[in-house]
Amino acid sequence: MSNRPRLLSGITPTGKMHLGHWVGAIENWVNLQNDFDCFYLLANKHAFTTRANQPAEIRASVMDLATDLLACGIDPSKSALFIQSEVPCIDELTFFLSMLLPFNRVMRNPTLAEEIRDKGLGDHYPFGFPLYAVGQCADILAFRPDVVPVGEDQVPHLELCREVTRKFNVTYCGVDSHARDEDHARLGGVFPVIRPRIGRVKRLVGLGAPSAETGQLLKMSKSLNNAIYFDDEPGEIEKKIRGMYTDPKRLRATDPGETDAGKNPLWAMHEAFNSDVAWVESHKAQYAAGQVGDVVIKKKLIEVIETLVSPIRERRRHYAARPGDVLDALKLGTARANVVAEETLSLAKAAMKQDYFGRVVELR
Ligand code: TRP
């Protein structure tokens, strides 16, 4: 086993990966592979919270996402890319953790509240919907990670995880309830109190116009039809960028006190993807002064995005033609995930005095 610090993160398979996923998390996932022993979870059970009647689509999304991740450079010989539902410990831990969290505390989670609102779930969501937030605590804790890199929207889930960790360690491991978070492990807690680590770009905006209600640009997402995907052909990327919204009162883009991202996705995209900071700054000034127009800035953006996407698109094609290889990578990762998660569950069960028998989990 590796002695590098351990890292856990996850993503819900909702369809193909877009540039928002890349800057929000995946770029980070790829870069962290050398410094951490990485476990990357495909949260297929979370997909059932809103799509329980679409099992085939969920399966296709899992394969699509795994294909995207391998194409982006997640290396199965370094990192464990694994399927949530094939790691039974996660479910078992979820049940025990759910007993330590007041129901009302789970429902107060702002990420859940937002999802209920944005997806129009009203009071029709299934019992499993709030349960998934507890499940996410188990996703994390099963790996006792040192680091959990996530997008900003996941912070409330991580806060719930921190709370249930303290509760577990205090209730079952004799950790003092006033112990500092960083001391829990040393004091005998089974679980470390994790700290989130947020991606470089917290929320990438989509290509469309601002919301009529709020005046703010909307985030890049599949359902809003404002995204660029890693299997978009060059012509498609060009078309999307040429057609993207730009602030008609262009000067506002660089008004002091107004964030570019709030007004003009063209500059938000450059800031997120164009590593030539000097180019971005000088052209922003020229743009504000009316010396350069949308066409030039869009042309450069097309170039920048195509440079990022092109090698990934190539590798994606390779894996998309070899679903057997993708499944092999997932199996390898899932087997490794089970080793760590089983070890964690034994420790947790021992702490809870429910360690009656040993067992092994074996994939076939
Ligand atoms: N809820 C996360 C998302 O929607 C995915 C996820 C599931 C996750 N389990 C996790 C993220 C554990 C970090 C840690 O993208």
Side-chain angles (χ1 to χ4, degrees), residues 192-204:
V193 184
I194 52 112
R195 251 178 295 151
R197 175 166 164 158
I198 311 297
R200 179 169 68 93
V201 176
K202 296 189 170 85
R203 176 180 177 277
L204 186 68

Side-chain angles (χ1 to χ4, degrees), residues 18 22 72 78 102 136 158 221 232-233 241 259 262 276:
H18 55 63
W22 172 258
C72 282
K78 282 188 199 154
Q136 184 155 340
L158 267 54
S221 92
D232 281 351
E233 293 300 328
I241 294 177
T259 65
D276 189 347

Side-chain angles (χ1 to χ4, degrees), residues 104 115 124 167 171 189 225 248 315 317 333:
N104 289 328
E115 255 179 286
H124 298 297
K167 190 78 181 286
T171 308
N225 198 16
R315 284 196 299 270
R317 240 180 234 139

